[in-house]
Amino acid sequence: MRDYSHESVEKKWQDIWEEKQAFKAHQDYSKPKYYPLVEFPYPSGQGLHVGHPRPYTALDIVARKRRMEGYNVLFAIGWDAFGLPTENYAIKNKIHPAIVTEQNIARFKAQCKSIGFSFDWSREINTTDPNYYKWTQWIFIQLFKHGLAYKKEMDINWCTSCKVGLANEEVVNGVCERCGSPVVKRAKSQWMLKITEYAERLIDDLDDLDYIERVKIQQKNWIGKSVGMEIDFKTTTGEVLRVYTTRPDTIYGATYMVVSPEHPMIDERKDVITNMDAIEAYREQARLKSDFERTELNKDKTGVPIEGVWAINPVTEARIPIWISDYVLMSYGTGAIMAVPGHDTRDWEFAKVFDLPIIEVVAGGDVEKEAFTDIADGVLINSPLIDGLKVADAKAVISKYLEEKGLGTPKVNFKLRDWVFSRQRYWGEPIPLVSCPECGWVALPEESLPLKLPEVSSYEPTDNGESPLAAMTDWIETTCPKCGGPAHRETDTMPQWAGSSWYFLRYCDPHNDETFASKEALEYWMPVDWYNGGMEHTTLHLLYSRFWHKFLFDIGAVNTKEPYQKRTSHGMILGENGEKMSKSRGNVVNPDDIVSAYGADTLRVYEMFIGDFEKSVPWSDSSVKGCRRFLERVWSLVDDVNAEEAVSPEFERDIHKAIKKVTEDYETLKFNTAIATLMALLNQYKKAEKITHGDIRYMLLLLNPVAPHITEEIWEMLGFEGMVCEQSWPAYDPEKAKDDVIEMAVQINGKVRATITIEVDSDLDAAREKAMAEEKVQQFTAGKKIVKEIYVPGKIYNIVVKG
RNA sequence: GCGGGCGUGGCGGAAUUGGCAGACGCGCUAGACUUAGGAUCUAGUGUCUAACGACGUGGGAGUUCGAGUCUCUUCGCCCGCACCA
């Protein structure tokens, strides 16, 4: 037998697969389909990270198994290539981002190929390709035409020194990542997408999806539906302050109000407010704070009372003060709250700091010590209309009362905010709209798409907060598609999320230039059957793409209301020291090094064997060696074969058990135990005197999805026909996979004292007879009274004794 | 602060979901082969104990014939975040 040389074996089979187009998804729509999906990577300058192959190998295993099970499988990859790091690299090195992108993609592609993923490379896509972003722009235009895109003044992070807008990521602890200068908020008119219009459906439709529970929970909490009321508070100066609350039952305990520093009533009533100086100073402070500071450092409540105006509690008619504080956000509810310090923790803290009155209106706690927020058992007090009622009933009664009196209306609110869709950047999809003095914002005609990114001399954001495109007068100045008059283009670009919100649709039909994907292709392939990705994408990417898909469904462009039927998530791979891999920590492992030293199959086996797929796990070089050792032992089986027969009788049961276990484990993310099963089976083989072709055949079939190269090579060496990847997935006989004789533990008072070998379906009498024959059992039961016997066939025999 | 998750040998992790805790792998120990071993093979390897045996899944309590698994409580760690009224 020759040595196992991974370089030549892996290259050989990669070439054969490519030549034979072994993994191409077929246009034959009569076969059953399967569509597994992995998150396409951002092609960074660092190249592939060892974190990438974990999810990719996992779904590659599923894809390969499905092909062997007779499915037409669509498994594709592409590049999510717009984005900040490339752009910043381009600025720094004065290279066009398109060139940087091209280089990075070439590297990523070569790396993916070297690991042997069974992608259908003919479907590769790239979000920065005009033939791709043409359709991203087309979708945006549909959103715009259906009223789901609108302009709004929104704050951007503004670096006071660089004089550019910054992404959240570029703001570190309130200062600019690059120059360390303070970052402030600055209002800018931006395009927004009304994802909130889909909030209810984005929650409800989760019920029918096969997402892992923590993804569902996290999405639901992020969307944050709450059922409450908007209630109007009159003020002493005649206007109305509207608040949102989920606890209208506590209204008798509303002893003051708080509005956010940005609340419009402040400017509107400048004339009657007597302490505008103090208010302005507080607002300025709030403005200087980044979101991070406002939330993180603001553990102690701060605020300023508005003097000159009071609110009237609509049920008690009491005159109560109005404060401003940054713990109330303009972006949620109405930007104003009725503060009930007795029964809301934040209000309670605020009241304690500023010595505001606390009235107990729900009995059961001690409001002098802390806010009482238990809504299950509380009973209302000090609330004439609802005294003695439980919280839930009190809510219903007071809501009805307030509604009838015209003081309030029931209202559902969501935490979810609309999606800020504008970026003041160059390396993104141009927004295909023009602003016409006569017609307002007008979409470009669809047949004129793509609107390509123009060549600019500098990619640096401009010092007035505009995108680099804003400096290109000849590009900006255009004519209105509607009236033909002079107009100018939108100069902001789309966020990186845009291209990734629909890429799985393009995989279905990637070369179509009539439409983003043909109806037939979509009807056949969609929905994605299994989408695996990182938890960090749960609330943004996953939600955004569900939103876009639902919209496309509503306009009849796609045939399913959800894009992904199943969603799972993998854990991160950490450095050997247990910390997150990063350049600065110096603990980064490059997959190329593993592939060249041990081979792609070793890398694949290792990443699947390393631990629970769903959990984070530290890298370990010595464990990699163990996986290489396993493959070498598999390789050495070639020499051990000493019979032509099918399966050795002594292995029949083991093989059927292994097929069952591995088949199930590949479906349930338990790749580690699947591989452990194969290792154990191999150990059996190595110990055996006789080992046949048939025995090894099963090992190769089961191991092939994880280690595709070496298994093909051994298959060929042993003279089997065709390729492993063309074979049928082995079936197991449930009867043969079952043990009929087992080792059963015999316990005395819950402690194991002996084991007996017994037929699975034996009854208590048979078990007792065998157990009592054991010396240990006799010893521990001698002279004692048997009070109880628990016998669970196939599991346990426990004797409870006394005395 | 809010939301989500995790604590099992020296290490990564198993445990049919309430039934022999530690599968499989790493590491380690001893031996074999060898000029050599950081290659390979064989055996051993949770802790305490000379042994019988006892103890053991972050800590404490509880339910149960039986708890890593269920309940309560407490401590610690990780991830995400937009103080969401």
Side-chain angles (χ1 to χ4, degrees):
Chain A
M1 179 191 66
R2 62 196 164 91
D3 281 347
Y4 167 43
S5 149
H6 61 266
E7 297 93 343
S8 56
V9 168
E10 291 178 354
K11 178 75 171 64
K12 170 182 165 185
W13 289 99
Q14 284 162 14
D15 290 347
I16 292 173
W17 295 330
E18 185 151 345
E19 187 211 328
K20 295 200 172 174
Q21 303 200 327
F23 308 123
K24 211 168 154 112
H26 307 296
Q27 288 299 113
D28 175 6
Y29 293 165
S30 64
K31 282 175 82 179
K33 69 94 180 180
Y34 200 80
Y35 187 1
L37 182 68
V38 290
E39 288 173 340
F40 63 160
Y42 175 71
S44 71
Q46 283 91 55
L48 218 59
H49 176 274
V50 285
H52 287 111
R54 179 130 99 141
Y56 291 2
T57 305
L59 283 213
D60 192 39
I61 289 167
V62 173
R64 286 172 179 273
K65 176 165 176 275
R66 283 290 180 282
R67 287 191 201 96
M68 292 169 81
E69 288 170 334
Y71 288 89
N72 186 15
V73 172
L74 169 47
F75 190 44
I77 193 72
W79 318 106
D80 188 14
F82 277 128
L84 263 188
T86 302
E87 185 169 348
N88 288 340
Y89 182 87
I91 291 167
K92 206 170 162 191
N93 298 284
K94 308 244 181 287
I95 309 178
H96 195 287
I99 294 169
V100 180
T101 298
E102 200 184 338
Q103 290 165 354
N104 290 348
I105 287 177
R107 169 111 190 267
F108 268 69
K109 191 170 174 178
Q111 289 179 300
C112 282
K113 290 202 165 183
S114 79
I115 301 173
F117 299 127
S118 66
F119 292 131
D120 176 351
W121 286 100
S122 71
R123 290 175 189 254
E124 178 184 356
I125 58 171
N126 172 353
T127 57
T128 66
D129 179 348
N131 290 324
Y132 180 88
Y133 71 66
K134 166 181 178 175
W135 299 108
T136 311
Q137 292 173 330
W138 180 87
I139 295 170
F140 176 79
I141 286 177
Q142 308 315 308
L143 287 159
F144 173 75
K145 286 182 173 168
H146 286 82
L148 292 168
Y150 64 99
K151 275 239 157 177
K152 191 185 173 192
E153 287 271 316
M154 287 296 292
D155 284 340
I156 60 169
N157 300 309
W158 181 257
C159 174
T160 47
S161 162
C162 307
K163 304 235 186 288
V164 294
L166 298 175
N168 283 335
E169 199 187 49
E170 297 172 294
V171 183
V172 179
N173 296 327
V175 301
C176 174
E177 179 184 47
R178 276 173 290 191
C179 70
S181 308
V183 173
V184 296
K185 302 265 168 96
R186 190 160 156 169
K188 172 151 195 335
S189 172
Q190 314 224 48
W191 285 103
M192 307 286 292
L193 294 184
K194 282 190 197 167
I195 188 172
T196 51
E197 203 147 288
Y198 283 76
E200 194 93 51
R201 284 163 66 190
L202 287 168
I203 290 179
D204 293 346
D205 292 348
L206 283 173
D207 290 345
D208 303 325
L209 298 174
D210 183 17
Y211 286 12
I212 51 172
E213 208 50 36
R214 64 185 202 274
V215 168
K216 284 193 185 184
I217 292 169
Q218 216 164 296
Q219 286 212 345
K220 275 184 194 165
N221 288 347
W222 183 263
I223 295 167
K225 179 178 176 173
S226 74
V227 178
M229 257 201 135
E230 284 187 351
I231 302 175
D232 289 337
F233 280 58
K234 287 206 178 80
T235 66
T236 49
T237 50
E239 64 275 328
V240 166
L241 252 184
R242 177 165 291 181
V243 305
Y244 176 73
T245 179
T246 55
R247 296 292 306 276
D249 54 298
T250 60
I251 191 164
Y252 285 94
T255 52
Y256 64 101
M257 294 183 76
V258 184
V259 299
S260 82
E262 301 85 9
H263 199 283
M265 73 88 64
I266 298 166
D267 286 321
E268 280 161 20
R269 296 320 310 250
K270 263 188 183 142
D271 51 334
V272 291
I273 298 174
T274 57
N275 63 333
M276 274 314 284
D277 288 351
I279 288 174
E280 285 298 352
Y282 185 79
R283 292 171 101 183
E284 190 53 33
Q285 257 180 39
R287 169 157 291 278
L288 277 168
K289 286 182 189 171
S290 68
D291 268 2
F292 187 85
E293 279 182 316
R294 205 163 142 166
T295 60
E296 185 68 21
L297 301 178
N298 195 22
K299 298 229 159 94
D300 297 323
K301 295 283 174 288
T302 60
V304 175
I306 296 178
E307 288 166 12
V309 186
W310 283 264
I312 311 287
N313 183 315
V315 292
T316 64
E317 310 261 315
R319 207 174 81 154
I320 60 176
I322 308 171
W323 285 64
I324 63 170
S325 173
D326 57 11
Y327 82 94
V328 172
L329 304 181
M330 201 54 224
S331 53
Y332 186 77
T334 60
I337 60 162
M338 62 176 207
V340 185
H343 307 284
D344 179 280
T345 311
R346 289 175 310 260
D347 296 345
W348 188 89
E349 284 168 6
F350 191 84
K352 280 289 171 191
V353 172
F354 295 104
D355 201 21
L356 292 157
I358 299 172
I359 298 177
E360 182 181 37
V361 292
V362 182
D366 180 356
V367 299
E368 280 311 310
K369 288 210 179 99
E370 61 177 353
F372 178 65
T373 55
D374 184 350
I375 54 168
D377 305 318
V379 174
L380 275 289
I381 54 169
N382 296 327
S383 307
L385 284 168
I386 44 181
D387 269 341
L389 295 177
K390 286 204 150 199
V391 168
D393 301 329
K395 258 190 200 179
V397 172
I398 197 77
S399 298
K400 192 158 171 256
Y401 169 82
L402 291 168
E403 205 177 344
E404 279 168 2
K405 291 275 181 186
L407 295 167
T409 35
K411 170 93 189 196
V412 172
N413 258 339
F414 297 95
K415 283 200 311 190
L416 185 70
R417 297 195 213 139
D418 277 339
W419 176 3
V420 183
F421 201 69
S422 298
R423 297 290 182 274
Q424 295 72 47
R425 284 284 176 165
Y426 175 76
W427 196 228
E429 299 89 343
I431 292 176
L433 299 178
V434 301
S435 174
C436 168
E438 298 299 318
C439 315
W441 285 101
V442 181
L444 294 183
E446 289 168 17
E447 55 281 8
S448 74
L449 300 178
L451 171 62
K452 290 192 189 171
L453 270 173
E455 294 292 326
V456 296
S457 48
S458 161
Y459 317 110
E460 196 97 39
T462 57
D463 59 9
N464 57 5
E466 302 279 350
S467 113
L469 300 183
M472 297 214 55
T473 43
D474 52 340
W475 184 78
I476 295 169
E477 282 166 20
T478 182
T479 51
C480 171
K482 208 162 169 187
C483 69
H488 61 265
R489 294 189 193 282
E490 170 59 56
T491 59
D492 282 352
T493 53
M494 299 187 198
Q496 192 212 3
W497 305 112
S500 61
S501 289
W502 71 282
Y503 71 110
F504 49 90
L505 297 173
R506 190 62 176 169
Y507 283 150
C508 297
D509 194 8
H511 308 293
N512 197 323
D513 50 18
E514 300 293 315
T515 171
F516 63 90
S518 75
K519 278 245 176 312
E520 302 76 59
L522 291 172
E523 259 161 44
Y524 178 68
W525 289 114
M526 290 301 291
V528 169
D529 293 287
W530 186 344
Y531 190 20
N532 184 81
M535 277 313 281
E536 70 274 19
H537 290 126
T538 302
T539 48
L540 297 176
H541 161 66
L542 202 61
L543 216 49
Y544 290 153
S545 59
R546 288 182 63 218
F547 159 50
W548 272 34
H549 196 84
K550 284 184 174 303
F551 165 71
L552 291 172
F553 177 74
D554 288 349
I555 63 168
V558 297
N559 60 308
T560 60
K561 64 178 184 176
E562 285 285 341
Y564 321 115
Q565 186 53 43
K566 171 175 178 174
R567 170 78 179 187
T568 56
S569 208
H570 56 270
M572 229 189 312
I573 292 186
L574 308 170
E576 286 219 66
N577 54 4
E579 290 174 8
K580 205 170 159 174
M581 274 192 198
S582 71
K583 253 197 206 163
S584 54
R585 289 190 178 92
N587 58 354
V588 175
V589 179
N590 183 337
D592 292 347
D593 296 340
I594 307 301
V595 170
S596 66
Y598 302 101
D601 284 334
T602 297
L603 176 69
R604 295 170 61 112
V605 170
Y606 172 66
E607 295 221 5
M608 292 299 98
F609 183 63
I610 187 171
D612 184 334
F613 181 72
E614 303 196 70
K615 288 186 198 152
S616 296
V617 63
W619 183 268
S620 159
D621 272 329
S622 49
S623 287
V624 176
K625 284 180 203 150
C627 293
R628 165 74 188 205
R629 206 133 62 196
F630 165 62
L631 291 180
E632 275 171 7
R633 274 157 64 81
V634 173
W635 180 266
S636 73
L637 282 174
V638 175
D639 266 358
D640 300 342
V641 183
N642 50 22
E644 287 295 326
E645 300 159 37
V647 173
S648 309
E650 67 166 306
F651 289 134
E652 202 182 27
R653 185 178 306 280
D654 295 327
I655 286 175
H656 280 273
K657 280 164 90 170
I659 296 172
K660 180 173 192 286
K661 177 78 177 145
V662 171
T663 301
E664 288 167 0
D665 282 357
Y666 283 170
E667 297 297 327
T668 50
L669 303 174
K670 295 182 159 191
F671 306 104
N672 52 340
T673 51
I675 292 168
T677 302
L678 293 176
M679 286 174 168
L681 184 64
L682 176 68
N683 291 343
Q684 297 276 92
Y685 283 6
K686 295 301 276 185
K687 269 189 227 154
E689 305 222 325
K690 193 170 151 192
I691 175 96
T692 69
H693 270 77
D695 300 328
I696 296 178
R697 187 170 176 277
Y698 281 105
M699 172 64 77
L700 297 178
L701 289 171
L702 295 175
L703 182 59
N704 173 264
V706 189
H709 311 86
I710 191 173
T711 46
E712 292 288 3
E713 185 70 15
I714 299 172
W715 185 266
E716 190 185 72
M717 285 195 284
L718 289 177
F720 290 116
E721 290 287 308
M723 294 194 288
V724 188
C725 65
E726 299 166 337
Q727 307 305 309
S728 292
W729 187 253
Y732 63 89
D733 181 340
E735 280 307 309
K736 286 181 180 159
K738 235 193 261 168
D739 283 313
D740 30 50
V741 176
I742 56 154
E743 293 283 304
M744 180 181 281
V746 180
Q747 300 181 331
I748 316 289
N749 287 351
K751 299 213 155 138
V752 179
R753 298 300 180 184
T755 54
I756 51 175
T757 306
I758 192 170
E759 278 164 40
V760 175
D761 48 8
S762 304
D763 59 12
L764 173 59
D765 291 336
R768 187 189 297 120
E769 192 182 324
K770 286 222 166 188
M772 287 309 174
E774 293 288 324
E775 198 184 315
K776 279 282 165 68
V777 177
Q778 292 166 9
Q779 185 190 323
F780 280 91
T781 52
K784 292 178 180 168
K785 195 184 163 206
I786 294 178
V787 258
K788 197 171 178 182
E789 286 171 283
I790 294 103
Y791 176 66
V792 185
K795 300 214 162 158
I796 200 83
Y797 177 37
N798 187 12
I799 304 167
V800 186
V801 297
K802 233 180 170 176

